[in-house]
Amino acid sequence: MTPADLSRTVLHAVRRAVDEDALRAPVPARVRVERTRPGGSGDYACAVALQLAGPAALPALEVARILRERVAAEPGVGRVEITGPGFLSFTLDAPAAADRTVLAAVREQGLAYGHGDALRDEIHQFHHAREVRAAVTAQTVRRLLTAQGARVRTSCAEPPDPDWARLGVTVDAHGTPPVPLTGIRPVPAGATAGELLERLGPDAARWGLLRAAGHDRAALGPELLVQGEANPLFRVRYAHARARALTRGAAALGFTAESAPYGASPTEPAANAEPAAHRASSVAYAAYAEPAATTACDAAARPLLDLIADHPGVLLAGARHRAPDRVARQLEAVAHAFFDFHDSCPPLPAGDEKPSAAHRARLAIAEAAGTVLAGGLSLLGIRAPEHL
């Protein structure tokens, strides 16, 4: 269960409680769930009971109890606790099952992992100045919203700069709109599209224009072209290229990251299944290594698996807040966690070592990370090369 799934589950519980007349309060448009802070209880928490207590004319603890019994019965939810003045804390089902579900979703949806229809009823019309950062930001916000089902049009105050096309920017209309439209107004880049393209090229220019929040000045210096880990763009693209190289390397060694049959024990193969030594499953819970090694890989895999699971929520938040910088920061975090995992638990065997279930499990996670990076870069309008 992803955070977005959990949010929908809690919202459904609120709606059920209202329909059953157990709760008399307006149903919110959405419910926000967040990862539990260090020292807290469970995997996620939300304050919806405190939000509804006033309108329902009930103590927040009572609202929490009403919702707890409805959420606890939902598939994927292991335990629901009430903490503090009325917070709901959720512990999801065994991480192995949740991880397999996330990895299967990435594998099935590919670059569209994290896309959805949450904003299908929304129509947006954006207007921006004849300025390159505003144009690139508006076009990227359009991509993010469209990926969530919204319909979007963009217009420019003047005829667009011809060089914008080389940055992948198009507009639907230009001129003064007949009615006021939503403005996209980031801090100007201080350079034209042509100047940025000449100095940086399209990919580095787009990253520089989008990486900073709109109210901050964009960093558009030569550091964007540095081929080293100090350059976040290079690190993100290199992580993607490395993930693709792992797939090619595994193929050369004769193995893949195909998932294990659902419900199959990691030590007892299902009927007609391959032997356990040749099946993939969640890295954190497969019985494939000595306990000490397994524990080390659990710790290294957990941040990356959590970021992959959180990716749909980040894309939705980026769309809702018209904030491409959120997506860029998410990709940086995924790349960082990918290399930590890769270095601690290599997905490919070394020397005379034979491919095992451990390697297949690690490869599944690495491939999912590569897919998330490629999909995120695509939404930002930046290429994700297979080789660097």
Side-chain angles (χ1 to χ4, degrees):
M1 176 176 285
T2 67
D5 294 331
L6 180 58
S7 176
R8 286 191 289 269
T9 297
V10 178
L11 184 60
H12 177 65
V14 174
R15 191 171 289 114
R16 278 181 52 205
V18 171
D19 290 344
E20 295 166 5
D21 207 30
L23 194 63
R24 296 183 179 180
V27 178
R30 58 180 181 269
V31 171
R32 181 179 181 182
V33 298
E34 296 180 331
R35 284 208 172 274
T36 304
R37 295 177 181 177
S41 175
D43 300 313
Y44 294 93
C46 82
V48 66
L50 283 76
Q51 176 186 344
L52 296 176
L58 290 172
L61 288 172
E62 178 61 24
V63 175
R65 281 190 285 269
I66 291 170
L67 297 179
R68 177 177 61 181
E69 64 186 37
R70 288 165 174 79
V71 176
E74 293 293 328
V77 178
R79 185 172 72 253
V80 183
E81 300 173 272
I82 300 172
T83 61
F87 292 102
L88 288 169
S89 296
F90 309 98
T91 300
L92 303 185
D93 273 345
D99 293 341
R100 284 197 295 270
T101 300
V102 169
L103 295 179
V106 178
R107 192 178 186 90
E108 178 183 347
Q109 297 169 29
L111 299 184
Y113 173 66
H115 295 202
D117 61 358
L119 308 182
R120 63 186 177 277
D121 296 328
E122 296 188 7
I123 300 174
H124 297 272
Q125 297 189 67
F126 297 123
H127 190 68
H128 59 83
R130 192 178 190 270
E131 193 277 323
V132 62
R133 191 179 183 196
V136 170
T137 301
Q139 185 258 356
T140 307
V141 169
R142 177 177 186 163
R143 285 174 181 253
L144 293 174
L145 285 164
T146 301
Q148 302 301 327
R151 288 173 287 171
V152 186
R153 284 177 56 86
T154 59
S155 62
C156 180
E158 302 173 59
D161 182 338
D163 285 327
W164 289 358
R166 296 163 59 197
L167 286 168
V169 173
T170 59
V171 297
D172 297 307
H174 65 267
T176 303
V179 295
L181 302 179
T182 303
I184 300 291
R185 302 184 185 91
V187 174
T192 67
E195 291 167 346
L196 293 176
L197 287 163
E198 182 177 354
R199 286 195 287 111
L200 302 172
D203 291 327
R206 285 189 67 98
W207 179 271
L209 292 167
L210 297 170
R211 170 57 181 85
H215 54 76
D216 293 328
R217 188 171 297 281
L220 297 165
E223 65 276 4
L224 290 169
L225 299 177
V226 172
Q227 302 288 293
E229 63 178 25
N231 177 4
L233 173 60
F234 174 81
R235 191 171 177 83
V236 168
R237 297 173 84 185
Y238 182 57
H240 167 262
R242 181 60 188 153
R244 295 294 176 252
L246 292 171
T247 300
R248 295 191 298 270
L253 294 173
F255 74 99
T256 67
E258 292 176 356
S259 298
Y262 273 77
S265 164
T267 55
E268 298 178 5
N272 302 320
E274 296 177 61
H278 298 289
R279 290 185 284 119
S281 62
S282 170
V283 68
Y285 299 93
Y288 56 63
E290 295 297 323
T294 302
T295 300
C297 282
D298 290 354
R302 188 77 265 146
L304 181 56
L305 287 165
D306 287 346
L307 285 164
I308 293 171
D310 289 346
H311 189 65
V314 173
L315 295 186
L316 181 57
R320 280 190 169 131
H321 295 280
R322 304 167 199 157
D325 58 288
R326 295 190 178 205
V327 179
R329 289 195 297 274
Q330 162 78 353
L331 300 184
E332 290 178 23
V334 171
H336 181 81
F338 168 82
F339 284 118
D340 284 349
F341 168 67
H342 174 279
D343 295 346
S344 299
C345 306
L348 298 183
D352 295 332
E353 188 181 9
K354 294 186 180 298
S356 67
H359 295 111
R360 297 181 64 164
R362 297 171 194 172
L363 182 62
I365 296 175
E367 289 184 343
T371 299
V372 164
L373 292 170
L377 286 170
S378 177
L379 285 172
L380 297 180
I382 297 170
R383 292 173 299 170
E386 297 271 325
H387 305 269
L388 274 183

